[in-house]
Each structure stands twice: as structure tokens, then as C-alpha cells.
Amino acid sequence: MYRGSATGLVTTASQEALLDQGGAEAEEGDELGASLAAGDVDGDGYVDLLAGIPGEDIGTGIDKADAGAALLVRGGEASLSQATAAWLHTDQSGVPGAAEAADRLGSAVALADFTGDGLADLGIGAEGENGTDGTVIALTSGPTGPMATSGLYYGPATLGTATGTRVGRVLAH
């Protein structure tokens, strides 16, 4: 990542948001940053960044290839900080669903106030869930960020849409 300034991007020093969070390792094909969203998830007044990683393999072996994930990088006084980054995927407690090959969680991401409390909540799309059905996972934010028990799962049945529509391929707010 490059910091911005009043005159544009500052390319003399970059800050890396490492994928090595929560046991994940960066590898070719992860697609870190395939989707990006910015907002304040914890109300501290600093912008946080949610990055989709739809090509991330979860677990060991190839049984969950391209299951996908998202990385929430917290903003602070100086800049974004990998020290407080949160790794999110569907084999984690509090994140609904289960990681499966080709789910592509992180194919789209959004940070918007879904609950009206002034905090940016997380929307994470998984366009490959159940083949081409897709889904969106919503996580509510609180004073410390995303709340582990807040996850909601919106697939075609919940939304009343046809199967095969790749729900979660695109998110907007």
C-alpha cells in the first residue's frame, strides 16, 4: 500500500498489509485486494480497510482451494496497521457458513452502516457458494470492531432470488 498526500501517492515508502494473519500465508492466486471497501468499523474516527481475498485456500491440501477470505486492516493515527488486522473466513467461529472449495468469499466486500448505529458493518460476498448460487455474509460492528456472534447469511433462498445468480458477486452501498 502507498500512502496518499495532498499531491498524490507517496511511492518512496510502502506499507505492506501482510496476509500472514491467523494462520494464512500469501501465495500465488490469492487475489488479495480483488475487492476493497473503506469505513470506520469501531468508531475511533480512523478509516479501516476491508480487502477481499477470493482465491485464498483455507486449511491444508486442496480440499478448500479458493474458499476465500477477507482481511480487515484497522486504521490508526499514523496509518493502517497490520498489528490489529483481522482475518475472516467461514471456518472461523462467529462467521456463518463453512469453507468449501470455490466459494470465493471476498469476491465483493462492503463497509456500510447496516444497523444505524454509526459504525461500518461488514458485507462479504461469496459468489461461488453452492456452485453459482452465491451468498452474502453480514457481520455487525461494535466498539471493538466486528462482533463474533453477529454473523448473518443471505443466500438465494433468504433473498427470494433464483439459484445460479451468483449472489455476492457485486456489493454496493
Side-chain angles (χ1 to χ4, degrees):
M1 285 184 278
Y2 294 102
R3 293 183 183 179
S5 73
T7 59
L9 292 178
V10 177
T11 60
T12 55
S14 68
Q15 179 183 23
E16 295 183 16
L18 297 178
L19 194 54
D20 299 332
Q21 300 290 327
E25 294 181 19
E27 62 247 345
E28 188 174 337
D30 281 345
E31 301 175 61
L32 173 62
S35 55
L36 298 169
D40 186 358
V41 301
D42 53 13
D44 64 359
Y46 298 107
V47 174
D48 306 307
L49 180 69
L50 181 62
I53 317 167
E56 176 63 25
D57 301 339
I58 302 297
T60 57
I62 60 169
D63 61 326
K64 296 179 184 176
D66 297 341
L71 184 64
L72 178 63
V73 184
R74 302 287 183 86
E77 187 174 326
S79 66
L80 295 170
S81 173
Q82 72 184 45
T84 56
W87 171 248
L88 304 162
H89 60 81
T90 52
D91 272 0
Q92 271 182 312
S93 176
V95 180
E100 301 163 325
D103 280 349
R104 297 190 50 77
L105 183 70
S107 52
V109 295
L111 287 175
D113 185 5
F114 304 142
T115 59
D117 63 0
L119 301 177
D121 303 304
L122 288 69
I124 308 171
E127 68 173 320
E129 173 71 12
N130 295 328
T132 58
D133 289 351
T135 193
V136 174
I137 294 171
L139 298 171
T140 303
S141 292
T144 59
M147 296 187 295
T149 59
S150 68
L152 298 173
Y153 180 98
Y154 298 97
T158 307
L159 298 172
T161 62
T163 59
T165 56
R166 292 193 183 272
V167 171
R169 184 177 196 176
V170 176
L171 298 176
H173 65 278

